[in-house]
Amino acid sequence: MAVLERISRSNIWTFKKLRLRALRDSPMAFASTYHQECQLRDLDWLVRADQLDDGRSIGLIAVESDVACGMVRGATDDVDATVGWVESMWVAPTHRKVGVGGQLILAIVEWAHTRNLRMLKLEVTSNNQRAIRLYERLGFSPTGKTAPYPHDSTLTENEMSRDLLV
């Protein structure tokens, strides 16, 4: 079982390395690109650490045997304070299908409960069937809302949601 750590200034360089690894491994899973994030300065990463620990959002990394193997971000919606978002979810190929993804998502669900959110939403790229199945197992269902994926016009981002009031 992985240990989950909140992203902060104390582990931001571990997060940076993990984030860049995720962008290289699964470029279609993110709105940002490896090239874009390689351009970020150290100060940008430190600001990101502060933003992930500002009360409106949370960032987590999963660590197993001293190896960072997964990450996720939870954030409250900019318009509806009762809705939260699951973002930047990724698990290393070496740690898939062993529960790390579920651990990360359930930690965001717990965080959402502490914020009294009534719903969590996420967007998943249409070709990422493994992630879609994981989210469905964890209580998310398609909302029917889609948007074009910004880096490949043949793909869409499908919105899914999970009611937290049940």
Side-chain angles (χ1 to χ4, degrees):
M1 197 66 118
V3 174
L4 301 185
E5 299 177 6
R6 285 185 79 140
I7 297 169
S8 66
R9 284 181 171 235
S10 66
N11 63 10
I12 192 62
W13 311 121
T14 300
F15 170 67
K16 175 185 176 181
K17 185 177 174 182
L18 182 68
R19 173 80 175 173
L20 293 175
R21 189 170 140 213
L23 289 164
R24 288 185 92 164
D25 173 74
S26 304
M28 296 302 191
F30 300 95
S32 186
T33 67
Y34 176 80
H35 177 74
Q36 289 169 326
E37 299 215 5
C38 281
Q39 306 304 310
L40 297 176
R41 299 167 298 149
D42 286 351
L43 179 60
D44 298 322
W45 289 99
L46 292 170
V47 168
R48 185 178 278 185
D50 295 340
Q51 291 169 337
L52 290 172
D53 199 23
D54 68 358
R56 289 197 66 240
S57 62
I58 184 173
L60 299 168
I61 57 174
V63 179
E64 189 172 69
S65 302
D66 294 325
V67 175
C69 60
M71 65 181 185
V72 69
R73 177 179 186 253
T76 54
D77 189 81
D78 291 334
V79 176
D80 185 345
T82 67
V83 174
W85 287 88
V86 177
E87 301 171 337
S88 298
M89 171 70 180
W90 181 79
V91 175
T94 54
H95 290 78
R96 292 177 185 157
K97 297 186 179 184
V98 296
V100 174
Q103 223 181 323
L104 287 164
I105 294 295
L106 292 176
I108 296 300
V109 170
E110 286 179 31
W111 168 82
H113 281 298
T114 68
R115 307 282 308 156
N116 296 315
L117 301 179
R118 64 174 176 78
M119 178 181 293
L120 275 175
K121 293 182 179 182
L122 59 84
E123 291 178 333
V124 59
T125 311
S126 56
N127 67 340
N128 196 344
Q129 292 303 311
R130 183 181 304 154
I132 292 168
R133 286 191 302 274
L134 169 68
Y135 299 140
E136 287 174 340
R137 281 194 308 275
L138 295 171
F140 288 83
S141 26
T143 66
K145 184 176 178 183
T146 64
Y149 179 69
H151 305 297
D152 184 341
S153 61
T154 66
L155 299 174
T156 59
E157 290 183 316
N158 299 332
E159 185 180 88
M160 298 180 81
S161 67
R162 174 179 166 166
D163 187 353
L164 299 174
L165 298 178
V166 288

